[in-house]
Amino acid sequence: MARKLAAGNWKMNGDLALVDGLATLAGNQSTDAPQIVICPPHTLLAQAAKACENSAVEIGGQDCRAEAKGAYTGDIAASMIAETGATHVIVGHSERRDGHHETNPDIRAKAQAAWAAGLTAILCIGESEAEREGSDTLTIIADQLQASLPDNATAENTVIAYEPIWAIGTGKVPTLAQIIETHDMLRAELTARLGDEGAKITLLYGGSVKPTNAAEIFQAENVNGALVGGASLKPTDFQPIIDALAAS
Ligand code: 13P
């Protein structure tokens, strides 16, 4: 059985005041809460990790460079993220694939860099609106997974997040049937490729997850949690999503 995870991606949002609120979020969790990971901007990683030390909340980066070090102005190595006390890093978010022209091989290399630094990679895949309308979604997603996930992925070092690009920040969400269809396919692909480990890898849904739709989304058997953008910026929105996941 895959572990449940509520992950928050702050993207280029948040400040020290929001980091201060993480201690309260951590303090509010019951013992049966799912795993919780917050991914703030890199400048806030160290403070966030300190605020959440020995608590129910873990911290992750939003991207890393595949290389271990070197002349890459503005980039950050996975080991630097790990040194802050973070445990996870998002790789292959569509905002990186689109905005920074990252390819599946780039993302594969980033996942390997994350593992080498002892981080769990939260690897994102998802189709565009045009791809969804062309009804190619399952093939496109399966191809992305195949090409961006390294072979020795385990349930310990990898989380997969399915985020349809057209659902991110738009308030549009796939139907429950569409979510079930994609996640069942992803589970089948992971199990076919990785056996028992594939059956245990946590599979997240992301894209306009809100307190109002979380419980419905978590009904899908192969949805083990969510990667939440906007609603992770407000503890009053994120907590009900955590609670819905715990109850699922
Ligand atoms: P929203 O929850 O704001 O749609 O963002 C989803 C996302 O991209 C998380 O990585």
Side-chain angles (χ1 to χ4, degrees), residues 119-135:
L119 298 172
T120 297
I122 303 177
L123 195 155
C124 302
I125 52 176
E127 83 284 3
S128 67
E129 187 147 42
E131 288 166 339
R132 167 63 72 174
E133 280 165 6
S135 327

Side-chain angles (χ1 to χ4, degrees), residues 9 11 93 95 163 167-170 206-210 227-231:
N9 175 9
K11 309 191 179 185
H93 193 282
E95 287 151 17
E163 299 202 304
I168 294 177
T170 58
S208 296
V209 177
K210 307 285 176 214
L227 181 54
V228 184

